[in-house]
Each structure stands twice: as structure tokens, then as C-alpha cells.
Amino acid sequence: MISRSSCADCEVRERSLCAPLDERALGELTSIGQRRHIRRGETLFWAGDAATICGNVLSGALQLTALTHDGREQAVATLYPADFIGRPYAEETVFTVKALADSEICSFPRVPFERMLESHVALERRVMAEAFRKLDDARSQLLTVTRQTAAEKVAGFLIDMAGRDEIKSSRATPDGPVTFELPFKRGQIADVLGLTIETVSRQLTRLKIAGIIGLPSIRGVTIRDEAALRAWAG
Amino acid sequence: MISRSSCADCEVRERSLCAPLDERALGELTSIGQRRHIRRGETLFWAGDAATICGNVLSGALQLTALTHDGREQAVATLYPADFIGRPYAEETVFTVKALADSEICSFPRVPFERMLESHVALERRVMAEAFRKLDDARSQLLTVTRQTAAEKVAGFLIDMAGRDEIKSSRATPDGPVTFELPFKRGQIADVLGLTIETVSRQLTRLKIAGIIGLPSIRGVTIRDEAALRAWAG
DNA sequence: CGGAGGATTGATTGTTATCAACGGTGGTGG
DNA sequence: CCACCACCGTTGATAACAATCAATCCTCCG
């Protein structure tokens, strides 16, 4: 599903790459942009596809994944609202992008978007800064997946999830237990952390038995003892 | 040791971020740049230091490393000649940078370099493109370190090393065995691949016993059967 | 109510880390 | 020039962690 709409009521207007643009520049961008819905599980593009679009995540969550020749899978990044999609000046995509949840993106055909970058220095700077930030994220993730134990990975993952903006609010009292819904199923957590489904499940069970977390529902998590969880994460 | 010199005789003039610049822009860049030597083992900066410089690798090799709180180490990137160092618009460095070999860099104070980016679109585009390329590299490395076995990692590492430009030349006959010197010691290979020294050593020994490689000297490697090595790498 | 996909739990295996000893190499100073 | 020492690499024995294989249990749907 594809539709056009104005930027005025955009969910991520202030947080995305559009933030530094004035009204005129925003108008130009709107003229090449399209809103697009992606259903949960749907693939936006496959590794090796021609790189035809750049854009922004508006809602939902997307995941970039890499595969070995024999089918082992690794999630290399998760994209949340306001994150940038695509690679300007690249001919081919390197990773498969699919939707973890029903999502919406704002997409621009790559070449016109590149023209925008060239004529709007502030836009280009923003995209460059995001690329460097994601580079640091990916490199940090390298440390996590290689040098941390399964227990540390799972605990760290829960801390990251609890720290996401969308989630902060659901605390009953300012320093009481936090409860939230994971936007991932077990297999997806395993993909992100470089573990198996079974190992993720066992680690969650251990944390529950230790009284550090609760698992009120299939996707729900309650952090009962954040300090202990942080200690567990190392 | 610090010295100034012209760009005319620069080793990486055509391959580095300076490539798209005309003579005038190059002159501006020269006026803020300094050549700097870094001895093997020396640290250029530590994670958390103020981000004061950007620059280029001219010769040698540098490595970015991340540490867990309790001292486990992971190499997150290796920088070769023409690679970019630093993060424009960032206040702090995220990773420690040290020299694997005696190296030379061309460094620019960060803030004046940012002014150059703003006034020279081609330069900014080049830096942005490199950031995206390195981002893909780091994400690919995530697949390697999490989903490949020790045997695959070591074999893949040797293939990568054999494929580097500096090394291609040392082939006796066009399709004969390739011999080259690794710019890494065993511990550094282990850091890159997310393994231990002992595991790297054992995998190399296995490959030698299988007749796929030779280990003529402490750093030297001969690839006797490239097809078998590629099969081993998966 | 039945079925399918997902999650949990259990038993076992396998890979790699860890601990430990030894061998080789290169550099330094006598 | 040689001897020693420190560092690096190899090899072996063992242990631990997580993967794999397998069965059962939920939970959400139709």
C-alpha cells in the first residue's frame, strides 16, 4: 500500500533526517516521498537487490539480516521510527530488510534523494552523522556478540529494550518495576544476540527464577530488580 | 613525531578522501593537515577521549578495539592506507585506536575539517560514502563472528588477507601458490575473529596438516590450495 | 475444538575456552 | 658473538558453555 501525505503531521518530523529542513526544502522532499505500509513479516528488499530507495522509518520496526551460504542467519541491525533506510550512491543493497511488526516508512527514490543531499548540506550532514552513529552501534554490537556470555547478552538486551523511549512510560511508580512488551519473538531475539531460541528461553527462565524479572505474558517482561539485571549484564 | 608536507607526493592521494578535491581545495586541506608517525603498539587515542582529529591512514595499519568492563577485548575494525579515521561532529571517541605496525597518518583538527566538509560537497559525500561502506563491513563482520565456526573464520581471514592489494603481487606464477606476511600476530588475529590465541593456532595447524596452507615463518603464510581454502571458509 | 506455531524443558553432544607446559624466536647486554 | 630472557606460538588435557536433538506444553486462531 502506497499513499502520499504531508509532512506536517509526520510522526517523526522532529527526530528524523527531515528535522533540519526548512519549509521549502521539506516541500521538495515531500514531492518525491511516498508513505508505504509494510506488513509484519513482509520483506522490503532482499540482499543483492538494486538499491532503489532511501527513506525513514515512521512506525513499527524493521530488521536487517545477513545469511551464510548454508542458511545460518544473523540480524545485523534493527530499525525503529526515525531511523534511516538505504544507502545513497550505492548500486546494490547488502542486507535483507524485513518488517518485525506492521510498519510504515517514508520512502524516496534514491537518485532524486541524492540530488536533495547535494543541494541541502544540512540534510547530507544529518545522514552522514547517522551513518557514523550506526557504525559505532554495529561495532559495539561486535563486542557484545563475541565477548559476552549468553546470560550477559540476554540481560543486556532486556536493559536496552527497557530503555527505549516508547517504553519508559509504562512504569507504575518512578522507580518501581517496569513492564513492557518485547517487539520480538524468541527466535528474533536469538537472531539479534547470536544465540539459539533454546538458549534465550533458558536465560529468561533463569532470570525469572532468580526473581530479577517476571514474564507475565508471551511477549511481556517485568523488570523487578534493575540493579541485579545490570549486574548480570556485566 | 609531527611534520608538514605537500599532498603532491602523498601515498594515497588518489584513493583517499582527497581524491575528488581540486588543487585549490587540496591546498586548503594541506594548510590544516599534519603528517604524524605512530609507532607499532602506540595508542593514538583511547575510548572516551575527546574527538579532536579526523584524518587518513597513509601507511601501516591501525586497529579499533572495544573492551568489556572486565577486560575482554574485541577488535572492531582494522584501518589500512586510505581509510578514514575519526568522527566528524562527534564529541567523544568510542573506540581505542592503536597501531598494529609502524604507521603514518594525515591528521586534521576536527573542527576545521568540519568546515571543509561544509564548504566542499564532494568531500562530504566521500566521507559519507566511506561511513556507509564501513557500516556494511561492520555488519558483515557480525555475521562472521556469530555464525561461523573457528575453521571458517580462520580460512576466511586468510582469504581476505591474500586478497589485499599490497599482497597480490607476491605470487610466483599467476595461479600458483601465494605467499605473504600477515600484518598480525596470533593474538591480534584472535581479537579480530572473536577467538582465542590457542584456537587460531590450532586451526592454522589443521590447515597446514591438510596441505592447504604452508607456514614458512612466524608471520608468513603460503596458500597452496586456494579452492580448498575457500571451501573450508564456506 | 482442533491445529499450528511458538515457547519451554530435558538430555546429550560438540566446539571452543581455559589451564598448563613446552618450544621457538628475536632482541639485548655482557 | 654468544647467552640469556622475554615474548610468542604450539600442543595437550580438561572443562564449560551453548548448540543440537527431542519431547511436551502453551496460546492464539480459525
Side-chain angles (χ1 to χ4, degrees), chain B residues 71 155 179 216:
Chain B
T179 297

Side-chain angles (χ1 to χ4, degrees), chain A residues 215-227:
Chain A
L215 298 171
S217 67
I218 197 91
R219 296 280 193 101
V221 178
T222 303
I223 296 181
R224 296 196 192 289
D225 185 346
E226 189 177 325

Side-chain angles (χ1 to χ4, degrees), chain A residues 5-207:
Chain A
S5 98
S6 122
C7 296
D9 57 348
C10 174
E11 300 88 322
V12 298
R13 170 75 179 88
E14 295 304 322
R15 292 184 294 145
S16 78
L17 55 91
C18 313
L21 297 179
D22 59 28
E23 285 307 313
R24 211 180 120 275
L26 201 60
E28 286 181 59
L29 205 55
T30 305
S31 73
I32 62 168
Q34 292 185 322
R35 275 188 178 243
R36 180 166 166 185
H37 293 265
I38 307 159
R39 276 190 305 276
R40 172 193 166 109
E42 194 182 332
T43 296
L44 182 59
F45 30 74
W46 297 93
D49 280 0
T52 55
I53 67 158
C54 291
N56 265 326
V57 180
L58 299 176
S59 66
L62 305 177
Q63 199 162 58
L64 276 68
T65 57
L67 286 175
T68 60
H69 65 99
D70 61 346
R72 285 166 283 175
E73 185 171 342
Q74 173 66 32
V76 298
T78 306
L79 303 181
Y80 297 105
D83 282 345
F84 180 73
I85 303 171
R87 294 200 313 158
Y89 304 108
E91 296 298 321
E92 278 194 2
T93 63
V94 177
F95 303 107
T96 296
V97 181
K98 63 184 162 196
L100 287 180
D102 289 348
S103 303
E104 229 177 344
I105 65 169
C106 179
S107 87
F108 311 102
R110 179 170 63 83
V111 174
F113 183 74
E114 288 166 1
R115 296 295 89 77
M116 284 292 296
L117 287 179
E118 285 154 25
S119 54
H120 299 277
V121 176
L123 182 64
E124 182 160 62
R125 191 178 320 161
R126 185 98 182 187
V127 172
M128 182 179 74
E130 169 139 348
F132 276 112
R133 204 162 39 243
K134 293 294 179 189
L135 178 55
D136 288 339
D137 289 349
R139 287 172 170 174
S140 298
Q141 184 72 359
L142 271 171
L143 178 67
T144 298
V145 297
T146 52
R147 302 299 184 189
Q148 298 200 160
T149 63
E152 288 170 332
K153 288 178 187 179
V154 171
F157 177 81
L158 292 178
I159 290 168
D160 288 349
M161 286 297 112
R164 289 185 50 226
D165 292 343
E166 290 80 29
I167 279 161
K168 279 253 174 70
S169 48
S170 65
R171 230 177 242 272
T173 59
D175 58 347
V178 198
T179 297
F180 58 92
E181 294 280 310
L182 293 171
F184 298 85
K185 37 182 113 168
R186 297 289 184 269
Q188 291 167 335
I189 298 175
D191 280 347
V192 170
L193 299 178
L195 297 170
T196 59
I197 291 175
E198 295 94 323
T199 300
V200 171
S201 178
R202 277 184 244 272
Q203 294 301 331
L204 288 171
T205 302
R206 282 180 61 192
L207 288 167

Side-chain angles (χ1 to χ4, degrees), chain B residues 49-203:
Chain B
D49 280 359
T52 55
I53 68 159
C54 292
N56 265 325
V57 180
L58 300 176
S59 66
L62 304 177
Q63 199 162 58
L64 276 70
T65 57
L67 285 175
T68 60
H69 66 100
D70 61 346
R72 284 166 284 175
E73 186 172 342
Q74 174 66 33
V76 298
T78 305
L79 303 181
Y80 297 105
D83 282 345
F84 180 73
I85 303 171
R87 293 201 312 158
Y89 304 106
E91 296 299 320
E92 277 194 2
T93 63
V94 177
F95 303 106
T96 296
V97 181
K98 64 184 161 198
L100 287 180
D102 289 347
S103 302
E104 229 178 344
I105 65 169
C106 179
S107 87
F108 311 102
R110 178 170 62 84
V111 175
F113 183 75
E114 289 166 1
R115 296 295 90 74
M116 283 292 296
L117 288 179
E118 285 154 25
S119 53
H120 300 276
V121 176
L123 181 64
E124 183 160 61
R125 190 178 320 161
R126 184 99 182 186
V127 172
M128 182 180 73
E130 168 138 348
F132 276 112
R133 205 162 37 240
K134 293 292 178 190
L135 178 55
D136 288 338
D137 289 348
R139 287 172 169 173
S140 298
Q141 184 71 359
L142 272 169
L143 178 66
T144 297
V145 297
T146 53
R147 301 298 183 192
Q148 298 199 159
T149 63
E152 289 170 332
K153 288 179 187 179
V154 171
F157 177 81
L158 292 178
I159 290 167
D160 287 348
M161 286 296 113
R164 289 185 51 226
D165 292 343
E166 291 79 31
I167 279 161
K168 281 253 174 70
S169 50
S170 64
R171 228 177 243 272
T173 59
D175 58 346
V178 198
T179 297
F180 58 93
E181 294 280 310
L182 294 171
F184 297 85
K185 32 183 119 168
R186 296 290 184 269
Q188 291 167 335
I189 298 174
D191 280 347
V192 169
L193 299 178
L195 298 170
T196 59
I197 291 174
E198 295 94 323
T199 300
V200 171
S201 179
R202 278 185 243 272
Q203 294 300 331

